[in-house]
Amino acid sequence: MSPNGLPPDRLLPADPATRDVARRIYRSVQDQPIISPHGHVPPEWLAQDLPFKDPTTLLLSPDHYIFRMLHAAGVPLGELGVGGAELDEAGSRRAWAHLCRHWDLFLGTPVRYWLEDQLVDIFGVTERLSEATADASYDRIAEVIAGDNFRPRALMDRFGITVLATTDDPCDDLSHHAALAADDSFTPRVIPTFRPDKYLEPGRADFAESVTRLGEVSGEDTGDYAGYLRALEARRRYFVEHGAVSSDHSHVDVQTLTLDDGEASQIYAAALGGTATEQESTALRRHMLGQMARMATDDGLVMTLHPGSYRNHHGPTLAAHGPDTGHDIPVGVEFTKGLADLLGRYGTAEGFQLVLFTLDETVFSREIAPLAGFYPSVYAGAPWWFLDAPRAIGRYRAAVTETVGFYRTSGFIDDTRAFCSIPARHDMSRRVDAGYLAGLVVEHQFEEEDALRIATDLVTTIPQKAFKL
Amino acid sequence: MSPNGLPPDRLLPADPATRDVARRIYRSVQDQPIISPHGHVPPEWLAQDLPFKDPTTLLLSPDHYIFRMLHAAGVPLGELGVGGAELDEAGSRRAWAHLCRHWDLFLGTPVRYWLEDQLVDIFGVTERLSEATADASYDRIAEVIAGDNFRPRALMDRFGITVLATTDDPCDDLSHHAALAADDSFTPRVIPTFRPDKYLEPGRADFAESVTRLGEVSGEDTGDYAGYLRALEARRRYFVEHGAVSSDHSHVDVQTLTLDDGEASQIYAAALGGTATEQESTALRRHMLGQMARMATDDGLVMTLHPGSYRNHHGPTLAAHGPDTGHDIPVGVEFTKGLADLLGRYGTAEGFQLVLFTLDETVFSREIAPLAGFYPSVYAGAPWWFLDAPRAIGRYRAAVTETVGFYRTSGFIDDTRAFCSIPARHDMSRRVDAGYLAGLVVEHQFEEEDALRIATDLVTTIPQKAFKL
Amino acid sequence: MSPNGLPPDRLLPADPATRDVARRIYRSVQDQPIISPHGHVPPEWLAQDLPFKDPTTLLLSPDHYIFRMLHAAGVPLGELGVGGAELDEAGSRRAWAHLCRHWDLFLGTPVRYWLEDQLVDIFGVTERLSEATADASYDRIAEVIAGDNFRPRALMDRFGITVLATTDDPCDDLSHHAALAADDSFTPRVIPTFRPDKYLEPGRADFAESVTRLGEVSGEDTGDYAGYLRALEARRRYFVEHGAVSSDHSHVDVQTLTLDDGEASQIYAAALGGTATEQESTALRRHMLGQMARMATDDGLVMTLHPGSYRNHHGPTLAAHGPDTGHDIPVGVEFTKGLADLLGRYGTAEGFQLVLFTLDETVFSREIAPLAGFYPSVYAGAPWWFLDAPRAIGRYRAAVTETVGFYRTSGFIDDTRAFCSIPARHDMSRRVDAGYLAGLVVEHQFEEEDALRIATDLVTTIPQKAFKL
């Protein structure tokens, strides 16, 4: 047992010789600072540095990994503080008890692994969660988060996070980021990410409203297609000026095509007027992904793609609790044909970078790695969301490494709004990568010194290069 | 070697520390009774309790896993007693010799593993199958199956099977099930499963004939859509009254949609009249899957889906030997979009349960586990058919556990008509799961006591809950 | 360390007991002759037996596995001698230095493994490649290849290659093969492979030109469909007479259908006239794949399919450097529905053999193994191209073995134009298979004697049977 009571070898390979090597590799990177180039922590937490409200609001309600499983077990989302429902103290305590009572559900999942790591390492809760320990664990966590050393900024320091990217609406004024950047007492980089999905989907009911707002914020007339492009360019520049290094795109597919200006203008006008067909709206969305790439060759933002999520699968839950409430479900995706147009135009453009993420594992060996092994612009993104877990990370490494090695990958991203889980997630990734590297050492694919160098690069130069940090 | 000559550690992980843990986990469940909630054993075997005819009729002719591989090796199906061909004693012996001669073909397959387990454990055949041992092994098996202690009911007892679900036509009178239920001397539950595929496929040539028969049996007029629904409801109730706990559905896809009553009525009438287009027939089939879910919310039958088999791939074999003769070949399937309509309506309905099986491994991590991790109704079904094998089960666990753990899965199903293979199949599953659990213990994802509890639950409460037993 | 300085246990499993077994299995086959039934070595190299020009021309410029990764790292293809660019001595040296400088990129890839094997075992380069060792390693290799014992024929002998299949255009006169066959001093079989892709794709711009040439070479009038068939039949016969055992087909998909003679004739005429629609051209291509199967039932050529590569993904690179320059990217494929027509007609035809390869791993367990486990004609081809690597081969074995064992597979193919990498590739395959077999021994799926027999069969009788050698 380590001083904190967690087994020091967790997630390392079972074979003793491999574990020995893996342990040395892991130890060499375990204390490296955390670079988090993609995630969803609200920037106001850091800007305002307010204390967290209670254990449930901190750990459960914002974490769809947790509450979706409790929902599957029959707990109504409303009782978990999901989708804007405000819980009072008694409600928060009841929600926490739901989690404790269903703790066995999470056996074998990374959710349990991450939360146990936090409970022990951050909150000093060493008794296992259960109905019997629900109140005591709640009280203990509540006591810890009330302390001044548990404010968000103190945690950034304690967690060793040197770069934290948030995900932001193009119309956001980025005032929190500006405030943090202006504060000399706060040294980590907290940088925005340009996430324009809703402004690029002409088929959405709120498209006209969205681009009108985009026009107001940018000072460009988005009444026509040319102004719409200028507005997007302006907001991208604004983000760059506020430290952004990437734009993020999460449409259901990554098909791309290029319309000529006349077609694009016409569909844009039809979309504003509500008369665009579904086919036209889809075409314009696919065209606009290419436009994002074109703009990236000018302003230098790295382009990251997170496709293949069927959003809001359960209509009644959307109606009752809103989006992002645990029922986004993956679908198959296709990159090779889809990106042919975009990569034909910008795939070898100076400075252009494109990081491909997926929820569909089948494309790791079939499409993403082969693309990243030819195009200087393409990087194989780390396993994401449902795949951000020990066995899945192992499958990712096994699927991509033999085609593109380690240096054409993105490095780990935590992609989380569960702030306190960030160290546990990065630690998990470092352990699993150490195990994968150790396996290659023991099978004599390379030397231990190579593995040590790669492990360090995976948490330093590799994400720095992929995200231009 | 164990007393019966089989190595006690078979299928347990190679790493010594992991194997130690796995052995303890396996031993804790190895003698648990067998729950078989989905399979194809003919109920008359148990109701009539007749002796089996000969080794080939018992072990080879009904088992497509075996005879399809012999066919690939060039043995004509007719020589194996497949598809209704009656073999005389000499023919059965020759068929058995074909298997013995080609025994090397099965190296590395679960078919060999299961059959060796049966040969040693049930029949006392310890010499390896080969051309030289064909006659001796045939004679030995023939001698064993002639014994009174080898009647089907005695075997149920010996195998420790407490629940055995059969698969039955909705028009079946279930008299065998009734006879077994009425017999106080026979304690296992032998329960029917409602399998209405051919009554739900308006595109089949025999559809009109099928629903006419359904009308006769149910006493409802299936001449129109409303009567067709009433007839299906009546037969489901009849099955429930005879102990059924589930309905099973095996169409080529699981796409669902909802027609309004007028459309459904019109297509139904066209289908009866032979004038429905392929598109209409497909639409009605997809609509009817939703109707099955609706009915399940009333009568409580668990709904199980086994999609994605391209039936009767080789036309000449179908013509010569009929269906189920080894040439059903998997195709890709899609659940997320396909089930959106059905789950939007019934996904959170009180008491509704839906178990998803697949022959397409790509959906384990991408679709099935994410669905089972949100919808209270959805369970991730065990690996099935071509995937019911040690390495494939390991891949299933690795793919689904990190998203839904163990408690949202179905437990093992053997899905077999090879009655004597049931213990070997469940034993295989228990060994492989013990190995998977041991791996998580050794990597400190949880404690050995957790693994022991999960292993027991996997063969008791987990299938009981998924199948409402 | 072995005498040559390479670790003797490389790629063998980490677990000591499994490694012991694997080592014995590997040693039993390590010195078996090499059968290479599919590859891309130019036959003139052997016929003319000329010395190789320089290290870059031998090892780098013809190897898209290497140069594509350097391109991804930003090195222009022109500087690597790719696509016909002639490098002078200084240019070759610079190209080699690019590889040395980027050697870390290849860590964890089979490319590095194969090249290190060659560097140590063939060239005696034991210092690791790096910017510092670039010149010395270049000089050392240049010295070795200048020796008379490094001519292609001497290497064939040294490598222990007894069968080497090349890949050839149907219009090739096969004079190099004829010369080699006529030379009694040269004992290995160097056999052509009939690769008619461009003559079977009516949608290609050069189709009319291609079939005109086919007519000239065959002496048949390819002005109409009947003559086109006769011409293809004639060229297949010509290849058979020159020792060919297989035809190879690499279209983007493997969909098959049968047109009647009238339709086929009409589309063929339209294709020659440049008026065939894309749909018609595709239909004729799919029909012609069936015609290849029909012809195979007459002339006995084994049919091998290598589908699913999106050729020339990056238009600007195609324009600048031509095809086969590293930007062929895999796409998903489908075999079950696609081959239904072809297998319905020829799947059980006497003597017909069909070997299925894939770049899309999802079909290994889902489609290829189930097909090979029923059809006497179908063999599950070895992992290919991006999948020809240790972890991927392990996944292939795990995915196909449980359904079809070892004896319905093709044996290893190296598929390479990198002549000197052939021994390293076959050695890799033997090591990985030894590891897989050892795992099954240690888990008691069969005995070590079974594994030893399978290992030998995998490099002797299994490829001999699949390719009719």
Side-chain angles (χ1 to χ4, degrees):
Chain A
M1 289 299 125
S2 72
N4 65 7
L6 291 169
D9 288 339
R10 59 202 196 288
L11 301 187
L12 301 187
D15 174 66
T18 313
R19 182 170 283 191
D20 274 355
V21 177
R23 201 185 285 129
R24 288 193 291 272
I25 297 170
Y26 167 64
R27 292 216 178 125
S28 76
V29 294
Q30 105 183 83
D31 295 322
Q32 284 280 356
I34 290 174
I35 295 173
S36 175
H38 181 77
H40 295 271
V41 171
E44 58 269 31
W45 288 7
L46 292 160
Q48 300 168 348
D49 204 30
L50 296 175
F52 294 106
K53 190 171 154 245
D54 62 59
T56 295
T57 308
L58 175 63
L59 299 171
L60 199 167
S61 305
D63 192 338
H64 55 79
Y65 289 76
I66 298 180
F67 67 68
R68 72 192 307 275
M69 192 79 124
L70 296 177
H71 178 264
V75 182
L77 291 180
E79 295 187 22
L80 300 170
V82 172
E86 273 288 316
L87 297 178
D88 59 13
E89 163 65 19
S92 286
R93 197 173 278 274
R94 273 199 305 274
W96 185 256
H98 279 308
L99 171 62
C100 293
R101 184 161 44 249
H102 290 292
W103 196 223
D104 265 10
L105 272 184
F106 295 90
L107 285 163
T109 70
V111 175
R112 182 169 172 131
Y113 178 86
W114 297 326
L115 195 49
E116 284 186 340
D117 193 293
Q118 295 167 66
L119 289 172
V120 171
D121 215 39
I122 301 178
F123 302 105
V125 174
T126 53
E127 273 196 300
R128 171 179 286 219
L129 296 192
S130 72
E131 196 147 17
T133 63
D135 272 333
S137 57
Y138 185 91
D139 290 337
R140 170 71 188 154
I141 299 167
E143 186 190 327
V144 170
I145 67 182
D148 270 353
N149 59 353
F150 205 80
R151 297 286 180 87
R153 291 194 185 189
L155 289 178
M156 280 289 279
D157 192 44
R158 172 167 170 188
F159 295 166
I161 303 174
T162 54
V163 176
L164 181 77
T166 63
T167 297
D168 308 274
D169 189 284
C171 292
D172 194 294
D173 66 8
L174 304 181
S175 58
H176 299 305
H177 296 85
L180 288 165
D183 182 347
D184 287 343
S185 72
F186 183 71
T187 53
R189 285 172 71 181
V190 177
I191 57 181
T193 301
F194 186 78
R195 170 78 171 257
D197 293 352
K198 73 176 181 178
Y199 304 91
L200 302 180
E201 301 218 338
R204 288 175 60 125
D206 59 2
F207 182 69
E209 185 189 335
S210 294
V211 298
T212 299
R213 171 100 179 103
L214 189 71
E216 291 162 8
V217 172
S218 64
E220 298 286 348
D221 176 4
T222 55
D224 64 18
Y225 173 67
Y228 168 59
L229 292 185
R230 284 195 310 274
L232 287 165
E233 286 163 349
R235 295 311 295 168
R236 290 175 61 105
R237 273 197 307 275
Y238 187 84
F239 270 63
V240 170
E241 289 157 13
H242 286 75
V245 297
S246 69
S247 74
D248 182 44
H249 306 271
S250 186
H251 306 290
V252 73
D253 65 51
V254 296
Q255 306 300 302
T256 58
L257 52 77
T258 302
L259 302 171
D260 65 34
D261 272 5
E263 290 170 305
S265 296
Q266 192 181 330
I267 297 176
Y268 181 77
L272 288 192
T275 63
T277 65
E278 189 183 329
Q279 197 181 340
E280 287 173 329
S281 295
T282 299
L284 185 55
R285 163 169 67 76
R286 292 174 176 174
H287 166 80
M288 286 307 298
L289 206 61
Q291 290 299 303
M292 288 292 111
R294 177 186 62 73
M295 293 178 196
T297 62
D298 286 334
D299 59 35
L301 287 180
V302 173
M303 191 169 182
T304 69
L305 301 185
H306 286 92
S309 179
Y310 184 118
R311 303 280 172 185
N312 305 310
H313 193 263
H314 191 239
T317 296
L318 176 66
H321 303 284
D324 299 322
T325 48
H327 50 111
D328 296 342
I329 310 286
V331 293
V333 289
E334 202 284 333
F335 286 84
T336 301
K337 296 174 196 167
L339 291 174
D341 184 82
L342 187 153
L343 289 172
R345 291 170 189 273
Y346 310 109
T348 56
E350 184 71 25
F352 180 59
Q353 292 187 195
L354 180 66
V355 190
L356 305 180
F357 296 91
T358 184
L359 298 168
D360 174 359
E361 301 186 58
T362 69
V363 297
F364 280 141
S365 72
R366 191 178 65 213
E367 305 181 23
I368 289 180
L371 287 166
F374 174 76
Y375 285 102
S377 54
V378 176
Y379 292 80
W384 164 52
W385 200 341
F386 295 104
L387 303 177
D388 176 17
R391 291 288 184 276
I393 295 175
R395 293 196 298 275
Y396 161 79
R397 285 281 171 222
V400 308
T401 305
E402 294 184 323
T403 290
V404 285
F406 296 92
Y407 289 91
R408 305 285 315 149
T409 65
S410 72
F412 184 69
I413 63 160
D414 54 71
D415 190 41
T416 193
R417 62 194 77 220
F419 184 51
C420 290
S421 75
I422 291 176
R425 288 168 187 253
H426 285 260
D427 184 68
M428 172 194 76
S429 164
R430 293 171 186 192
R431 289 173 179 275
V432 176
D433 280 343
Y436 187 78
L437 290 164
L440 296 184
V441 170
V442 172
E443 291 184 11
H444 305 290
Q445 292 211 32
F446 45 63
E447 305 293 323
E448 188 168 326
E449 62 174 313
D450 295 314
L452 290 164
R453 190 171 69 257
I454 295 168
T456 295
D457 290 342
L458 280 171
V459 297
T460 55
T461 58
I462 286 172
Q464 283 160 2
K465 187 175 176 210
F467 284 90
K468 297 189 179 174
L469 289 164
Chain B
M1 289 300 125
S2 72
N4 65 7
L6 290 169
D9 288 339
R10 57 202 197 289
L11 300 187
L12 301 187
D15 174 66
T18 313
R19 182 170 283 190
D20 274 354
V21 178
R23 201 185 285 128
R24 288 194 292 273
I25 297 170
Y26 168 64
R27 293 219 176 121
S28 76
V29 294
Q30 103 182 85
D31 295 324
Q32 284 280 356
I34 289 174
I35 295 173
S36 175
H38 180 78
H40 296 271
V41 172
E44 58 269 30
W45 288 7
L46 292 159
Q48 300 168 348
D49 205 30
L50 297 174
F52 294 105
K53 190 170 155 249
D54 62 59
T56 294
T57 308
L58 175 63
L59 299 171
L60 198 167
S61 305
D63 192 338
H64 54 79
Y65 289 76
I66 298 180
F67 67 67
R68 73 192 307 275
M69 193 78 124
L70 296 177
H71 178 264
V75 182
L77 291 180
E79 295 187 22
L80 300 171
V82 172
E86 273 289 315
L87 297 178
D88 60 13
E89 163 66 19
S92 287
R93 196 172 281 274
R94 272 198 306 273
W96 185 256
H98 279 308
L99 171 61
C100 294
R101 185 161 43 248
H102 290 292
W103 196 222
D104 265 9
L105 272 184
F106 295 90
L107 284 163
T109 70
V111 175
R112 183 169 172 131
Y113 178 86
W114 298 327
L115 196 49
E116 284 186 340
D117 194 292
Q118 295 167 66
L119 289 171
V120 172
D121 214 38
I122 301 179
F123 301 105
V125 174
T126 51
E127 272 196 300
R128 169 179 288 219
L129 296 191
S130 71
E131 197 146 16
T133 64
D135 273 333
S137 58
Y138 186 92
D139 290 338
R140 169 71 187 156
I141 299 166
E143 187 191 327
V144 170
I145 68 182
D148 270 353
N149 60 353
F150 205 80
R151 298 286 180 87
R153 293 194 185 189
L155 287 179
M156 281 288 281
D157 193 44
R158 171 167 171 189
F159 294 165
I161 303 174
T162 55
V163 176
L164 182 75
T166 62
T167 296
D168 308 274
D169 189 284
C171 292
D172 194 295
D173 66 9
L174 304 180
S175 57
H176 299 306
H177 296 86
L180 288 165
D183 183 346
D184 288 345
S185 72
F186 183 71
T187 53
R189 286 172 70 181
V190 177
I191 57 181
T193 300
F194 187 78
R195 170 78 171 257
D197 294 351
K198 74 175 179 177
Y199 304 92
L200 303 181
E201 301 220 336
R204 287 174 61 125
D206 59 2
F207 182 68
E209 184 189 335
S210 294
V211 298
T212 299
R213 171 102 178 102
L214 189 71
E216 292 162 7
V217 171
S218 65
E220 299 287 347
D221 176 5
T222 55
D224 64 17
Y225 174 67
Y228 168 58
L229 291 184
R230 286 195 309 273
L232 286 165
E233 286 163 350
R235 294 312 295 168
R236 290 175 62 104
R237 275 197 306 274
Y238 186 84
F239 270 63
V240 170
E241 288 157 13
H242 285 75
V245 298
S246 69
S247 74
D248 182 43
H249 306 271
S250 186
H251 306 290
V252 73
D253 65 52
V254 295
Q255 306 300 302
T256 59
L257 53 78
T258 301
L259 302 171
D260 65 36
D261 272 4
E263 290 170 305
S265 296
Q266 191 180 329
I267 297 175
Y268 182 76
L272 288 191
T275 62
T277 65
E278 189 183 330
Q279 197 182 339
E280 287 173 330
S281 295
T282 299
L284 185 55
R285 164 169 68 75
R286 292 173 176 174
H287 167 81
M288 287 307 298
L289 206 61
Q291 289 300 302
M292 288 293 110
R294 177 185 62 73
M295 294 179 196
T297 62
D298 285 335
D299 60 34
L301 287 179
V302 173
M303 191 168 183
T304 68
L305 302 184
H306 286 94
S309 179
Y310 185 116
R311 303 279 173 186
N312 305 311
H313 193 263
H314 191 239
T317 297
L318 175 66
H321 303 284
D324 299 321
T325 48
H327 49 111
D328 296 343
I329 310 287
V331 292
V333 290
E334 201 286 331
F335 286 84
T336 301
K337 297 174 196 167
L339 291 175
D341 184 83
L342 187 153
L343 289 172
R345 291 170 189 273
Y346 310 108
T348 56
E350 183 71 26
F352 179 60
Q353 293 186 194
L354 181 66
V355 190
L356 305 180
F357 296 91
T358 184
L359 298 168
D360 174 0
E361 301 187 57
T362 68
V363 296
F364 281 140
S365 72
R366 191 179 65 213
E367 305 181 22
I368 289 180
L371 287 166
F374 174 76
Y375 286 103
S377 54
V378 177
Y379 291 79
W384 164 54
W385 200 341
F386 296 104
L387 303 177
D388 176 16
R391 291 287 184 277
I393 294 175
R395 293 197 297 274
Y396 162 78
R397 286 281 171 223
V400 308
T401 305
E402 294 184 324
T403 290
V404 286
F406 296 93
Y407 289 92
R408 306 284 317 147
T409 65
S410 71
F412 185 70
I413 63 160
D414 54 71
D415 190 42
T416 192
R417 62 195 77 219
F419 184 50
C420 290
S421 75
I422 291 176
R425 287 169 187 253
H426 285 260
D427 183 69
M428 172 194 76
S429 164
R430 292 170 187 194
R431 290 173 179 276
V432 177
D433 280 344
Y436 188 78
L437 289 163
L440 297 184
V441 171
V442 172
E443 290 182 13
H444 305 290
Q445 292 212 33
F446 45 63
E447 304 293 323
E448 187 167 329
E449 61 175 312
D450 296 313
L452 290 164
R453 190 171 69 255
I454 295 168
T456 295
D457 290 342
L458 280 171
V459 297
T460 56
T461 58
I462 286 172
Q464 284 161 0
K465 187 175 175 210
F467 284 90
K468 297 189 179 173
L469 289 166
Chain C
M1 289 298 127
S2 72
N4 66 7
L6 290 169
D9 289 338
R10 58 203 197 287
L11 300 187
L12 301 187
D15 174 65
T18 313
R19 181 170 284 190
D20 275 353
V21 178
R23 201 184 285 129
R24 288 192 292 272
I25 297 170
Y26 167 64
R27 292 214 178 127
S28 76
V29 294
Q30 104 182 85
D31 295 324
Q32 284 280 356
I34 289 173
I35 296 173
S36 175
H38 181 77
H40 296 271
V41 172
E44 59 269 29
W45 288 7
L46 293 159
Q48 300 167 347
D49 204 31
L50 297 174
F52 294 107
K53 190 171 155 247
D54 62 59
T56 294
T57 307
L58 175 63
L59 298 172
L60 198 167
S61 305
D63 192 339
H64 55 79
Y65 289 76
I66 298 179
F67 68 66
R68 73 192 307 275
M69 192 80 124
L70 296 176
H71 178 264
V75 182
L77 291 180
E79 294 187 21
L80 300 170
V82 172
E86 273 289 314
L87 297 178
D88 59 14
E89 163 66 19
S92 288
R93 196 173 281 273
R94 272 198 306 273
W96 185 257
H98 279 308
L99 171 61
C100 293
R101 184 161 44 249
H102 290 293
W103 196 222
D104 266 8
L105 271 184
F106 295 90
L107 284 163
T109 70
V111 175
R112 183 169 171 130
Y113 178 86
W114 297 328
L115 195 50
E116 283 186 340
D117 193 293
Q118 294 167 66
L119 290 171
V120 171
D121 214 38
I122 301 178
F123 302 105
V125 174
T126 52
E127 272 196 301
R128 170 178 288 220
L129 296 192
S130 71
E131 196 147 17
T133 64
D135 273 332
S137 58
Y138 185 92
D139 290 337
R140 170 71 188 156
I141 299 167
E143 186 190 328
V144 170
I145 67 182
D148 270 353
N149 60 353
F150 204 80
R151 297 286 179 86
R153 292 194 184 187
L155 289 179
M156 280 289 279
D157 192 45
R158 174 169 170 186
F159 294 167
I161 303 174
T162 55
V163 177
L164 181 76
T166 62
T167 296
D168 308 274
D169 189 283
C171 292
D172 194 295
D173 65 7
L174 305 180
S175 57
H176 299 306
H177 296 86
L180 288 165
D183 183 347
D184 288 344
S185 72
F186 183 71
T187 54
R189 285 172 71 183
V190 177
I191 58 181
T193 300
F194 186 78
R195 170 79 171 258
D197 293 352
K198 74 175 181 178
Y199 304 92
L200 302 181
E201 301 219 337
R204 287 174 61 126
D206 59 1
F207 182 68
E209 185 189 335
S210 294
V211 298
T212 300
R213 171 99 178 104
L214 188 71
E216 292 162 6
V217 172
S218 65
E220 299 287 347
D221 176 3
T222 55
D224 64 18
Y225 173 68
Y228 168 59
L229 292 185
R230 285 196 309 276
L232 287 165
E233 286 164 349
R235 294 313 295 167
R236 291 175 61 105
R237 274 197 306 276
Y238 187 84
F239 270 63
V240 170
E241 289 157 11
H242 285 75
V245 297
S246 68
S247 74
D248 182 43
H249 306 271
S250 185
H251 306 290
V252 73
D253 65 52
V254 296
Q255 306 299 302
T256 59
L257 53 78
T258 301
L259 302 171
D260 65 35
D261 272 5
E263 290 170 305
S265 296
Q266 192 180 328
I267 297 175
Y268 181 78
L272 288 192
T275 63
T277 65
E278 189 183 330
Q279 196 182 341
E280 288 174 329
S281 294
T282 299
L284 185 56
R285 162 169 67 77
R286 292 173 177 174
H287 166 81
M288 286 307 297
L289 206 61
Q291 289 299 302
M292 288 293 110
R294 177 184 63 74
M295 294 177 195
T297 62
D298 286 334
D299 59 35
L301 288 180
V302 173
M303 191 168 180
T304 69
L305 302 184
H306 286 93
S309 179
Y310 184 118
R311 303 280 173 185
N312 305 311
H313 193 262
H314 191 239
T317 297
L318 174 66
H321 302 283
D324 299 321
T325 47
H327 49 111
D328 296 343
I329 310 286
V331 292
V333 290
E334 202 285 332
F335 286 84
T336 301
K337 297 174 196 167
L339 291 174
D341 184 82
L342 187 153
L343 289 171
R345 292 170 187 274
Y346 310 109
T348 57
E350 184 71 26
F352 180 60
Q353 292 187 194
L354 181 66
V355 190
L356 305 179
F357 296 91
T358 184
L359 298 169
D360 173 0
E361 301 187 57
T362 69
V363 296
F364 281 141
S365 74
R366 191 178 66 213
E367 305 181 24
I368 289 179
L371 287 166
F374 173 76
Y375 286 102
S377 54
V378 176
Y379 291 80
W384 165 52
W385 200 341
F386 296 104
L387 303 176
D388 177 17
R391 292 287 184 276
I393 294 175
R395 293 196 298 274
Y396 162 78
R397 285 282 172 222
V400 308
T401 305
E402 294 184 324
T403 289
V404 286
F406 296 93
Y407 289 91
R408 307 285 314 148
T409 64
S410 72
F412 183 70
I413 62 160
D414 55 70
D415 190 42
T416 192
R417 62 194 76 219
F419 184 51
C420 290
S421 75
I422 291 177
R425 288 168 186 252
H426 285 261
D427 183 69
M428 172 193 75
S429 164
R430 292 171 187 192
R431 289 173 179 275
V432 176
D433 281 344
Y436 187 79
L437 290 164
L440 296 184
V441 170
V442 173
E443 291 183 12
H444 306 289
Q445 291 211 33
F446 45 62
E447 305 293 323
E448 187 167 328
E449 62 175 311
D450 296 314
L452 290 164
R453 190 171 68 257
I454 295 168
T456 295
D457 289 342
L458 280 171
V459 297
T460 55
T461 58
I462 285 172
Q464 283 161 2
K465 187 175 175 211
F467 284 90
K468 297 189 180 175
L469 289 165

